[in-house]
Amino acid sequence: MTEISRRPHSEKPDPHWVEWATGIVSAVLVVAMLGWVGYEALTDKDGPPEFRITITGIAPVSGGHRVEFDIANRATRTAATVNVRGEILDGSRTAEDAEVVIDYVPAQSKSSGALIFREDPGRHEILIRAVGYSDP
Amino acid sequence: MSTSLQMNDGNRVSDPRAFVTGLGRGAAGALLFGVPMLMTMELWELGFYIERYRLLILLTANIPLLVSLADRVGFERTGTLAEACRDATIAYALGIVMSTAILVLFGDIKPGMPISEIVGKVAIQAVPASIGALLGRSQLGESNDDQDEHKDGNRDEEAVTDHLSTRYIQELFLMGVGALFLNLNVAPTEEIILISFKMTPWHALATILVSIAIMHAFVYAVAFQGSHEVPEGTPWWHAFFRFTLPGYIVAMAISLYVLWTFGRLDDVGPTQVLMSAIVLSFPGAIGAAAARLIL
């Protein structure tokens, strides 16, 4: 501990110009960040989460067929515990359904997941939609 | 600590007991600083799902960090680069050994687990534990340092002035280490992103300002031991611009890096990225300020 009190600190009366340059760049960055967040704060429409689900791949796995999907949230509010249900439609009848819960779909961001069906969905229409969420 | 580390400098005969004491302090440091992370579920899970190239970058980046820390923090006052490398290696090894031991003790590593899972779990824990080992060896070795000063006070004094002079870059580096350390503690937890989801942009604005204020107050206003004194007649904003604001930017950069390492930024929109970085920079700023006082 003793060396700390004796230690010369760098608060010299005549600092090097690099210190000022770093300080100015940092100040600009902090102000830019405040500006960005401030702009978000002022223009925040605070709309409820809006999902868009796209299927990214179908592949056979042991015990069924895996359907991978991306779920995007275009709104400025995050959704938690998003329930996603997928159905294989055989005409107007649901041949099979599967469900998964996504922990978070952050605002203006994307999450991904997969559903596993027993039946081969290839020949039928697949419908995947979010059926509910909670606010974080 | 210095006794064990100065073994090779010629003034001292190599004493195995002092070396063992040094190892003990390092192990204690690794435990003290590593236990919060060793008991965090998310870090165990990260051990097997973290992308391997990110883990590799973290493990590699830890090496120069440990060497610089060993060289600059000051417990190795007469140190050469080779000695710093040796200390860093020992600290890394201690971090690995202690992490493995504790994870085995907690039943988190069991025989029959895939080797990549075991290695991943240990590797990710070894980073904070090795920093802890290095800090433990310097911080827990104080009483020994005092004894040394009676013996070789002159050399000590001399070494302090030319080896420990807190140059600007070094000061920023120490802030980075402090921020990294606290960040690694909290970043893997789900709470960080959860907090950022709960916050409105107004909360985020307030968090930025509060973080910067705390940073400045920690170092300059609240007179802890080791507090930095601004020379007479210098306006307060000099130190604010030259140290506090760059320190906050360093904390912010470290936060972004840690979040990226833990995969918290994948497919996340820019505003959300900024929000979680702001949340993580709050502990980061405290860590950075504390590092300036302690190290």
Side-chain angles (χ1 to χ4, degrees):
Chain A
M1 230 47 189
T2 39
E3 77 265 29
I4 288 171
S5 50
R6 277 191 279 110
R7 209 178 76 178
H9 293 305
S10 41
E11 283 83 348
K12 290 172 290 188
D14 54 337
H16 197 264
W17 65 268
V18 168
E19 301 188 12
W20 284 112
T22 318
I24 289 164
V25 170
S26 306
V28 167
L29 284 173
V30 170
V31 168
M33 195 161 70
L34 289 171
W36 182 356
V37 179
Y39 175 78
E40 293 285 331
L42 290 172
T43 59
D44 192 8
K45 286 181 293 293
D46 204 30
E50 273 178 65
F51 304 113
R52 208 181 63 198
I53 296 176
T54 45
I55 295 172
T56 54
I58 301 175
V61 289
S62 67
H65 294 266
R66 182 183 61 209
V67 178
E68 291 172 295
F69 62 88
D70 276 351
I71 174 165
N73 178 6
R74 283 173 294 174
T76 53
R77 247 167 51 190
T78 295
T81 53
V82 183
N83 275 273
V84 176
R85 181 180 297 157
E87 289 166 303
I88 297 180
L89 296 177
D90 186 7
S92 60
R93 190 181 61 87
T94 302
E96 193 185 344
D97 64 357
E99 237 181 75
V100 66
V101 178
I102 309 269
D103 280 349
Y104 293 107
V105 186
Q108 294 168 324
S109 306
K110 223 165 54 170
S111 291
S112 55
L115 293 164
I116 295 167
F117 295 102
R118 216 146 43 89
E119 218 168 291
D120 184 357
R123 292 169 291 127
H124 304 288
E125 195 191 343
I126 314 170
L127 182 71
I128 300 181
R129 62 192 187 94
V131 291
Y133 64 84
S134 67
D135 288 323
Chain B
M1 189 61 251
S2 35
T3 39
S4 70
L5 287 162
Q6 288 166 1
M7 298 183 306
N8 290 348
D9 66 5
N11 294 343
R12 222 172 273 265
V13 183
S14 176
D15 179 1
R17 267 181 49 201
F19 183 70
V20 171
T21 312
L23 281 186
R25 285 194 184 126
L31 261 189
L32 183 63
F33 290 93
V35 144
M37 278 151 277
L38 285 161
M39 299 182 88
T40 302
M41 185 173 75
E42 285 90 344
L43 259 183
W44 307 339
E45 290 163 3
L46 271 165
F48 49 84
Y49 76 72
I50 188 172
E51 278 177 83
R52 295 293 134 157
Y53 77 94
R54 299 188 198 198
L55 182 58
L56 182 67
I57 293 175
L58 181 68
L59 294 176
T60 317
N62 194 36
I63 296 171
L65 188 140
L66 287 177
V67 173
S68 322
L69 203 57
D71 188 44
R72 292 176 190 194
V73 157
F75 69 90
E76 167 112 68
R77 272 163 229 170
T78 54
T80 60
L81 186 62
E83 281 179 338
C85 287
R86 183 199 58 193
D87 281 359
T89 314
I90 293 174
Y92 217 157
L94 275 176
I96 294 170
V97 170
M98 293 310 286
S99 306
T100 314
I102 300 299
L103 288 176
V104 168
L105 179 71
F106 291 163
D108 195 40
I109 290 180
K110 287 186 179 132
M113 279 184 174
I115 193 82
S116 77
E117 181 181 341
I118 297 176
V119 172
K121 279 180 178 173
V122 171
I124 205 163
Q125 298 282 1
V127 173
S130 61
I131 301 176
L134 212 46
L135 297 183
R137 295 168 92 194
S138 68
Q139 295 298 314
L140 304 180
E142 280 156 18
S143 56
N144 218 338
D145 283 349
D146 290 345
Q147 285 166 12
D148 285 345
E149 268 157 40
H150 296 299
K151 285 183 240 159
D152 50 16
N154 285 338
R155 197 188 57 178
D156 202 37
E157 195 77 50
E158 194 183 307
V160 164
T161 36
D162 58 56
H163 201 73
L164 265 185
S165 68
T166 46
R167 279 167 293 130
Y168 189 63
I169 304 292
Q170 184 174 332
E171 197 84 4
L172 293 184
F173 169 77
L174 289 182
M175 288 199 244
V177 173
L180 178 69
F181 194 78
L182 240 70
N183 277 354
L184 285 175
N185 262 291
V186 292
T189 62
E190 191 176 321
E191 281 83 347
I192 294 298
I193 50 169
L194 182 59
I195 291 169
S196 78
F197 296 154
K198 282 178 176 288
M199 276 179 152
T200 64
W202 294 111
H203 289 97
L205 273 182
T207 308
I208 298 174
L209 298 175
V210 168
S211 304
I212 295 176
I214 288 178
M215 253 184 118
H216 197 72
F218 234 69
V219 182
Y220 295 101
V222 191
F224 284 121
Q225 190 175 17
S227 268
H228 295 218
E229 274 171 23
V230 183
E232 282 296 321
T234 316
W236 68 274
W237 54 266
H238 274 215
F240 183 76
F241 272 94
R242 278 163 41 219
F243 292 98
T244 305
L245 287 183
Y248 187 69
I249 293 298
V250 168
M252 197 80 192
I254 298 279
S255 299
L256 283 170
Y257 168 68
V258 170
L259 285 169
W260 174 80
T261 300
F262 292 160
R264 296 292 197 201
L265 303 183
D266 301 353
D267 289 328
V268 174
T271 304
Q272 274 304 325
V273 167
L274 188 63
M275 294 285 271
S276 14
I278 289 169
V279 173
L280 191 55
S281 292
F282 180 69
I286 296 173
R292 288 187 73 192
L293 300 180
I294 299 165
L295 297 180

